[in-house]
Amino acid sequence: METATVSAPIKVAVVYYSSTGTIAEIGKQIARQAEKVGAEVRLLKAAELAPQSAIDSNPAWAANAAATADIPDATPDDIEWADAVVFGSPTRFGNVASQLKQFIDTLGGLWGEGKLADKVYSGFTSSATTHGGQESTLLALYNSFHHFGGIIVAPGYTDPAKFADGNPYGTSHVDGQGSNPVDQTTREAARVQAERIVRLTTALKAGLATA
């Protein structure tokens, strides 16, 4: 399936929470691929809620915090700006990480004004183990998008790469407690998802403009 480069760039916000770096890497990959097919992209992270002592106690967590210090914290203004929003979260007991959920909970004002509706939304995740709650995390995340009046664009099995990745709900990765870095299978899944988001958001905007 071909992906057309957008003529008038759509705006994509990639908003993630990552403790030890897996979700950060997937988020960067999705942002790069969206830019590659012509979107204007903001790569953003949810603000950290954990105390510094907890971060410092885990070398991988501390290293990722330092490596991503230059990535801005997301604000509601970024969501209002975007035509499409891609949220990323590690799975926490089969659910969304509290840091990302806290950010989503700050969007009530925009929701009340109807400014979250009619945007495209999608998600990505990771877990330490196979079948470690990846699908339930994305489905839990997508519950919020229904309340927004958003349009969920999942990758489905629309590309051969998705049969290798195996998750129709979004890009996901098993990191094995940090022993399995993001690999080519996950990068290809991120490419498929990013290209599909840009393509369908572009079509949606064109349709709304002529409606």
Side-chain angles (χ1 to χ4, degrees):
M1 194 176 293
E2 295 183 1
T3 300
T5 301
V6 294
S7 54
I10 64 157
K11 296 172 286 188
V12 178
V14 180
V15 181
Y16 73 86
Y17 173 73
S18 184
S19 54
T20 58
T22 298
I23 289 293
E25 181 58 33
I26 298 171
K28 290 175 185 175
Q29 188 70 14
I30 287 175
R32 288 190 202 105
Q33 293 297 331
E35 286 182 333
K36 192 173 289 187
V37 291
E40 182 181 352
V41 179
R42 293 183 184 178
L43 178 64
L44 307 153
K45 63 180 187 291
E48 182 60 80
L49 302 177
Q52 191 62 44
S53 58
I55 297 169
D56 292 341
S57 70
N58 183 327
W61 196 351
N64 180 60
T68 59
D70 61 331
I71 295 177
D73 287 349
T75 71
D77 288 344
D78 294 309
I79 308 305
E80 185 174 359
W81 166 86
D83 300 308
V85 185
V86 193
F87 285 110
S89 172
T91 183
R92 293 289 186 264
F93 303 112
N95 215 318
V96 179
S98 59
Q99 289 87 343
L100 185 64
K101 184 60 168 64
Q102 191 274 341
F103 172 70
I104 291 171
D105 287 348
T106 70
L107 303 178
L110 291 179
W111 171 81
E113 296 174 33
K115 292 181 177 178
L116 299 179
D118 301 332
K119 296 179 185 289
V120 163
Y121 296 91
S122 199
F124 57 98
T125 191
S126 68
S127 62
T129 59
T130 304
H131 307 301
Q134 293 179 352
E135 293 181 354
S136 64
T137 296
L138 290 175
L139 290 172
L141 177 64
Y142 291 176
N143 285 337
S144 295
F145 305 159
H146 291 295
H147 285 257
F148 292 170
I151 299 160
I152 297 171
V153 172
Y157 293 110
T158 57
D159 186 281
K162 289 304 298 176
F163 289 91
D165 160 72
N167 190 337
Y169 302 102
T171 302
S172 60
H173 183 74
V174 178
D175 72 3
Q177 297 286 10
S179 63
N180 300 324
V182 173
D183 57 14
Q184 191 58 30
T185 296
T186 302
R187 294 180 195 281
E188 279 296 294
R191 175 190 62 78
V192 171
Q193 187 169 9
E195 290 179 355
R196 183 169 167 81
I197 289 164
V198 172
R199 182 173 65 250
L200 294 183
T201 305
T202 301
L204 176 66
K205 282 196 70 178
L208 289 174
T210 58

